[in-house]
Amino acid sequence: MATTPFTTVPWNGHVGAASFTFDDAMDDQIKNLTPILEELTDVRVTFFLSNMGGNRLTATGAGFAKLAKMGNEIGNHTDGHLQLPDQSDDKLKTEITDFADQIEKVMADNGAEVNVTAVATPYCNNNEKVSAEIDKRQFINRDCGWHGRNDWDTEPKWLGMASRVWNSSETATAELLSALDTAAYIGDFGAANPWEVQVKGGSWLVLLNHGVSDEGGMSITPADIKSAFKRALENNLWTAPFSTVGAYHRAHFTLDKAEAIKDGEGYKVSWELPHQHMPKSIPLKVKLTDDFLKEAGFTTNDNIVLVQGGKEIAPDAQGNYTLEFTALSATIRKASTLGLGTPRQNKQPRENTQASNKIYDLNGKHLKQNRDVHVIKVFGK
Ligand SMILES: [Zn+2]
């Protein structure tokens, strides 16, 4: 059977996505963002740590470890924050690869299990040699760029992802809110620049921020960042870390091409990881294609389930299944008769768009219970 059975639901079921990233391991990020993120539990962000000045990492380790334990991502902004294209191969290794190990160690010393999967190049200066070093240890890199938006159907340059740089100015906050509207495709774009409307539908906006304080400079005020977070949620953007959204986006280009092979009573689908250094868990919300269901002779009354690690995964009210991409295979079959084959209508899943804003940490720990997805957990990994 050459039919592709899966279509990944864009942006985890949201209109689009927004990843807020904060660079340079600044003290005011810890001080001012921790209480906001404690309050807005549907927002999780990325902190790109650097060791600028020689002891930045140890000085801020406890604060960022706490943020990591809340489900925020810790990424790699290099040891010395240098112009990477000017460095030797050996120096690139210590700046990027060795520093990723060091970040994980300092986080572990502070009680946080962190898996560094993303880099942000200092000054957004990148070249082939720099990208090659990043690729040895991480699957994604954030550079600067223009509008910072990514279309669902277009595979981006994973080691040179564009981001929209937030700069402090009188109009910066209004521009930030407008960027979040544009990502969600809300509003009237009749008079906008062409690049503002080039994405037809919801897109993923990557934002680059620095300080979070009332003291000016390259900072956004805590009140403004909080209103930006809230705007992202109001616009139904999946407001999740850079690696989380990036891994979901990257995985779909693989999964949606995977083909089904007849296997006993069902069909087996296998695929490979597109990169060895992705998050340890990548839950994907998928639908079964009509072509597949037809070719397999399955009907809507068949109570089709996915099976991974011996566990059956039933669909939610919208017919979406949440599969674990890193399990690298799934079987599609009729539900077994041992209690899991209860007709879908008897499960009465509740419609709840907020609940679909599912946040996992990068080790796959479910940080927020999602009531409308029936995942029977435990993947044999
Ligand atoms: Zn920086």
Side-chain angles (χ1 to χ4, degrees):
M1 187 181 215
T3 310
T4 50
F6 295 125
T7 305
T8 307
V9 178
W11 314 126
N12 204 20
H14 294 257
V15 166
S19 293
F20 290 86
T21 68
F22 296 88
D23 287 11
D24 299 351
M26 300 170 82
D27 296 307
D28 62 29
Q29 294 167 354
I30 299 170
K31 179 170 172 266
N32 294 318
L33 283 178
T34 302
I36 294 173
L37 291 165
E38 276 171 345
E39 184 188 331
L40 302 178
T41 52
D42 284 334
V43 174
R44 287 298 173 257
V45 305
T46 299
F47 296 97
F48 282 112
L49 306 190
S50 166
N51 204 22
M52 279 183 292
N55 70 341
R56 195 96 284 270
L57 189 60
T58 39
T60 56
F64 284 111
K66 183 180 171 189
L67 284 157
K69 281 186 273 187
M70 288 162 60
N72 298 289
E73 177 181 18
I74 303 297
N76 181 358
H77 197 38
T78 77
D79 189 5
H81 204 281
L82 307 172
Q83 294 283 359
L84 295 176
D86 299 343
Q87 309 305 318
S88 69
D89 291 355
D90 283 353
K91 187 68 175 167
L92 285 180
K93 180 180 176 292
T94 57
E95 283 294 315
I96 298 168
T97 302
D98 297 351
F99 189 62
D101 294 341
Q102 209 183 324
I103 291 173
E104 289 178 0
K105 188 184 178 305
V106 170
M107 289 299 113
D109 290 346
N110 286 283
E113 191 197 332
V114 162
N115 178 23
V116 172
T117 55
V119 171
T121 45
Y123 316 105
C124 300
N125 269 343
N126 195 350
N127 65 9
E128 232 169 81
K129 209 173 65 165
V130 172
S131 283
E133 187 65 34
I134 293 170
D135 192 48
K136 290 176 187 168
R137 179 77 171 63
Q138 293 99 167
F139 84 103
I140 196 167
N141 173 59
R142 194 216 65 205
D143 287 337
C144 302
W146 195 11
H147 48 70
R149 290 201 314 277
N150 299 279
D151 192 350
W152 177 251
D153 293 319
T154 307
E155 190 151 8
K157 210 173 142 197
W158 299 109
L159 297 177
M161 299 284 298
S163 63
R164 184 172 176 127
V165 185
W166 186 89
N167 285 310
S168 58
S169 73
E170 277 178 26
T171 56
T173 300
E175 284 167 9
L176 179 56
L177 295 176
S178 142
L180 290 163
D181 289 350
T182 312
Y185 209 61
I186 292 168
D188 176 8
F189 296 104
N193 292 325
W195 62 267
E196 290 281 11
V197 289
Q198 70 174 20
V199 179
K200 295 174 186 65
S203 57
W204 174 27
L205 175 68
V206 181
L207 293 151
L208 193 177
N209 302 278
H210 287 92
V212 181
S213 79
D214 291 310
E215 279 152 41
M218 279 173 73
S219 290
I220 185 165
T221 68
D224 284 350
I225 198 74
K226 190 172 176 183
S227 64
F229 288 165
K230 284 184 165 173
R231 180 70 69 93
L233 294 178
E234 282 159 21
N235 287 355
N236 191 18
L237 296 174
W238 186 25
T239 311
F242 183 58
S243 282
T244 305
V245 181
Y248 190 100
H249 192 205
R250 188 159 184 174
H252 104 272
F253 292 103
T254 296
L255 190 79
D256 292 9
K257 281 186 229 148
E259 294 177 357
I261 295 164
K262 185 96 175 85
D263 180 40
E265 295 297 293
Y267 290 84
K268 186 162 184 197
V269 193
S270 302
W271 57 89
E272 287 177 3
L273 278 182
H275 196 283
Q276 290 310 304
H277 299 285
M278 295 177 80
K280 287 175 186 163
S281 174
I282 306 170
L284 288 191
K285 194 175 274 206
V286 304
K287 280 187 188 304
L288 294 172
T289 62
D290 290 342
D291 282 354
F292 167 77
L293 292 169
K294 213 168 116 191
E295 209 170 320
F298 289 140
T299 73
T300 45
N301 295 323
D302 280 338
N303 299 311
I304 304 302
V305 291
L306 303 188
V307 184
Q308 288 189 301
K311 303 291 174 186
E312 295 191 351
I313 301 161
D316 66 13
Q318 291 80 42
N320 300 327
Y321 297 80
T322 300
L323 70 71
E324 175 52 55
F325 180 75
T326 63
L328 303 181
S329 72
T331 297
I332 306 165
R333 67 166 194 223
K334 295 179 188 178
S336 67
T337 51
L338 301 172
L340 285 160
T342 325
R344 193 185 298 172
Q345 59 267 32
N346 291 351
K347 290 179 183 287
Q348 299 191 325
R350 276 160 294 186
E351 178 93 30
N352 185 335
T353 50
Q354 278 305 311
S356 69
N357 195 0
K358 239 179 345 167
I359 305 278
Y360 292 83
D361 73 11
L362 297 168
N363 299 310
K365 193 177 138 216
H366 208 162
L367 295 164
K368 188 169 184 293
Q369 278 305 326
N370 185 355
R371 287 172 298 162
D372 70 356
V373 176
H374 303 276
V375 183
I376 302 125
K377 276 278 284 197
V378 184
F379 306 101
K381 290 190 65 122

